[in-house]
Amino acid sequence: MITTLNERMRGLASLFWREVAKFGAVGGIAFVIDNGLTFYLMHGPMTDSEAKARFFGASVATVFSWVANRFWTFRHRRQANVLREFVMFLIINGIGIGISTGLTAVAKYGMGVTDKNMLFLAGVVGILVATVVRFFAYRFLVFNQELDAEPEFSHDHEIIERHPHAHPVATTAVREAVNDSELPGPPS
């Protein structure tokens, strides 16, 4: 049993890190789109509107990110209701855009920073903070189909949940072995 548990935990960790790597690749491209567009707008058409430039760049990167995450990173976890998934994605990205745009606005208006490079850097720091929030929100709220969809992980939820059809003899044996009546589940 310990070997099986260990193998399943390693499998889950491997799956998780593959998702993190894919999410990182998509995020890296979105980062370039966001910052490239923002930098261009800050030094061109929106020279006096740094926060608006950050908002526009982040919005374009968000659309790219949704498509890439939906069809690559979390392709096995897509929701059947595409509209609901997209709205959840937009809400979570709205929070992320608020973080990066907010840090730019706080730096400019709250702290009086006027150097465009420092304002740009404030937005980059906001993106980094928002990225951590986004990964977990995407994984657990937007692209949240169960691991059961993947055959090799079809029973992994049993690691953390007591199976409702657990054999009563096994449950009794475990209780007797640890002499603890406080184990989860119905008394035997």
Side-chain angles (χ1 to χ4, degrees):
M1 177 166 150
I2 298 296
T3 304
T4 303
L5 180 63
N6 192 17
E7 288 172 3
R8 286 184 178 179
M9 293 305 287
R10 274 192 246 166
L12 286 171
S14 173
L15 177 66
F16 179 75
W17 287 113
R18 282 186 304 228
E19 284 181 348
V20 168
K22 289 178 180 181
F23 178 79
V26 169
I29 295 168
F31 182 85
V32 170
I33 292 169
D34 182 354
N35 288 298
L37 189 54
T38 299
F39 189 83
Y40 165 73
L41 292 172
M42 279 182 161
H43 292 86
M46 295 182 169
T47 192
D48 292 329
S49 302
E50 292 85 358
K52 288 179 186 174
R54 173 62 64 192
F55 179 82
F56 187 78
S59 297
V60 171
T62 294
V63 172
F64 162 79
S65 181
W66 179 67
V67 171
N69 280 308
R70 176 169 172 74
F71 292 104
W72 187 48
T73 307
F74 301 111
R75 70 180 176 273
H76 298 299
R77 301 189 198 312
R78 294 184 291 205
Q79 293 184 15
N81 185 339
V82 178
L83 182 60
R84 181 186 182 283
E85 180 185 273
F86 185 66
V87 168
M88 289 293 297
F89 193 87
L90 287 178
I91 290 169
I92 290 164
N93 273 282
I95 293 167
I97 290 170
I99 292 169
S100 63
T101 302
L103 285 179
T104 302
V106 165
K108 181 174 183 174
Y109 304 113
M111 301 169 80
V113 175
T114 57
D115 179 36
K116 291 195 184 305
N117 292 328
M118 292 305 292
L119 293 171
F120 183 79
L121 183 61
V124 170
V125 170
I127 289 170
L128 296 176
V129 171
T131 297
V132 174
V133 173
R134 283 181 181 129
F135 175 77
F136 288 103
Y138 292 167
R139 176 66 178 88
F140 295 106
L141 297 174
V142 178
F143 303 107
N144 61 352
Q145 293 300 309
E146 296 295 324
L147 285 173
D148 293 349
E150 297 181 28
E152 64 270 19
F153 297 106
S154 63
H155 300 288
D156 288 328
H157 59 87
E158 295 171 3
I159 294 171
I160 58 173
E161 298 173 0
R162 184 173 177 276
H163 196 277
H165 303 294
H167 192 276
V169 173
T171 305
T172 303
V174 170
R175 272 206 178 88
E176 289 172 0
V178 295
N179 196 17
D180 188 356
S181 62
E182 295 297 316
L183 286 175
S188 43

